[in-house]
Amino acid sequence: NAGVMQNPRHLVRRRGQEARLRCSPMKGHSHVYWYRQLPEEGLKFMVYLQKENIIDESGMPKERFSAEFPKEGPSILRIQQVVRGDSAAYFCASSPDRGLNQPQHFGDGTRLSIL
Amino acid sequence: AQKITQTQPGMFVQEKEAVTLDCTYDTSDPSYGLFWYKQPSSGEMIFLIYQGSYDQQNATEGRYSLNFQKARKSANLVISASQLGDSAMYFCAMREGSYNFNKFYFGSGTKLNVKP
């Protein structure tokens, strides 16, 4: 059973370009979470999605960032007009349900570097 | 206030010895879950152990155990018989049962180095 798949593993963009990060949850998991990790820091929650719905985007910056989880295909985190401060590791996690004791299973992350 | 506090940025331990990584948390929710994750230098996040706020016994998973002291709001991770492969960052995380249910709050992590 494949784990959470994120791609690309590394992404380099120039300031002003768009970054698209993809996440395929574990088989059978319908809950997807995105987190951002700055160097030497813990993970910070960004957004929680279920199929075709954004449930909680309280951690998402108001501008330039968007996320989707379509009926078919992976979840996408999109960053428009990237700036140097967007450089970070972005992790996707999934879970089969929202049980309190349910761990979130993480992908290997996408390391985004902005030139 | 920080939801999760890990006060040890770095720790050293001799191979085969036990080590305790500290974690304190802050919540007014009576129902919550505490998790520990390991992040090796390769970067992935590996789930280690879970403790629920209503669990009567401390959680154990192989060489990992959780020293849960509810009154002190602490959930320290104990790794017994350390191995070289245990060298990594360790993150404590919390999920609240009633409020902000969708997100995990993570601490800033502890970098563990196991010496041969």
Side-chain angles (χ1 to χ4, degrees):
Chain A
N1 191 14
V4 177
M5 304 299 291
Q6 285 188 252
N7 67 82
R9 189 75 193 268
H10 299 275
L11 182 61
V12 179
R13 285 288 178 266
R14 297 189 181 279
R15 281 178 295 172
Q17 291 183 322
E18 178 181 286
R20 280 185 175 240
L21 288 63
R22 284 176 289 277
C23 168
S24 296
M26 286 180 72
K27 189 175 181 181
H29 289 196
S30 59
H31 302 257
V32 167
Y33 311 81
W34 285 93
Y35 292 82
R36 177 163 63 177
Q37 184 181 32
L38 295 173
E40 309 300 321
E41 293 187 11
L43 280 68
K44 297 286 194 297
F45 170 81
M46 298 181 75
V47 62
Y48 161 50
L49 310 102
Q50 285 183 264
K51 280 289 186 182
E52 299 186 274
N53 291 303
I54 296 174
I55 308 300
D56 180 352
E57 56 182 349
S58 56
M60 286 272 274
K62 298 293 182 215
E63 297 178 350
R64 302 187 298 108
F65 284 73
S66 62
E68 63 177 13
F69 189 17
K71 188 176 180 180
E72 301 291 337
S75 175
I76 306 287
L77 179 68
R78 183 181 178 208
I79 311 172
Q80 294 179 290
Q81 298 176 328
V82 297
V83 301
R84 287 254 169 88
D86 297 333
S87 295
Y90 292 84
F91 285 91
C92 170
S94 73
S95 65
D97 58 46
R98 293 176 64 216
L100 181 63
N101 64 344
Q102 196 64 241
Q104 294 181 1
H105 300 270
F106 285 82
D108 289 348
T110 293
R111 274 95 189 137
L112 176 63
S113 297
I114 309 302
L115 301 179
Chain B
Q2 291 277 11
K3 290 280 189 181
I4 295 287
T5 302
Q6 293 180 254
T7 58
Q8 306 154 312
M11 291 276 288
F12 284 91
V13 65
Q14 202 69 38
E15 193 178 9
K16 298 180 185 175
E17 291 185 350
V19 63
T20 297
L21 306 183
D22 294 343
C23 172
T24 57
Y25 57 92
D26 181 29
T27 182
S28 57
D29 194 331
S31 176
Y32 52 88
L34 297 157
F35 303 78
W36 277 91
Y37 284 83
K38 172 184 178 182
Q39 187 178 42
S41 57
S42 48
E44 69 269 31
M45 293 286 288
I46 303 167
F47 165 68
L48 296 178
I49 194 167
Y50 164 81
Q51 180 83 45
S53 58
Y54 295 119
D55 292 345
Q56 295 296 316
Q57 293 187 326
N58 287 342
T60 60
E61 288 286 348
R63 294 187 298 111
Y64 304 109
S65 61
L66 207 151
N67 184 2
F68 181 45
Q69 298 188 45
K70 196 170 182 177
R72 294 186 177 181
K73 292 190 174 180
S74 75
N76 299 338
L77 177 70
V78 180
I79 306 175
S80 63
S82 298
Q83 301 172 357
L84 295 177
D86 294 334
S87 293
M89 284 288 289
Y90 288 81
F91 291 97
C92 180
M94 177 178 67
R95 178 185 226 167
E96 293 170 316
S98 306
Y99 320 119
N100 302 309
F101 186 78
N102 303 314
K103 63 190 73 168
F104 276 24
Y105 296 96
F106 281 85
S108 55
T110 295
K111 187 168 185 178
L112 177 67
N113 282 293
V114 180
K115 299 187 291 185

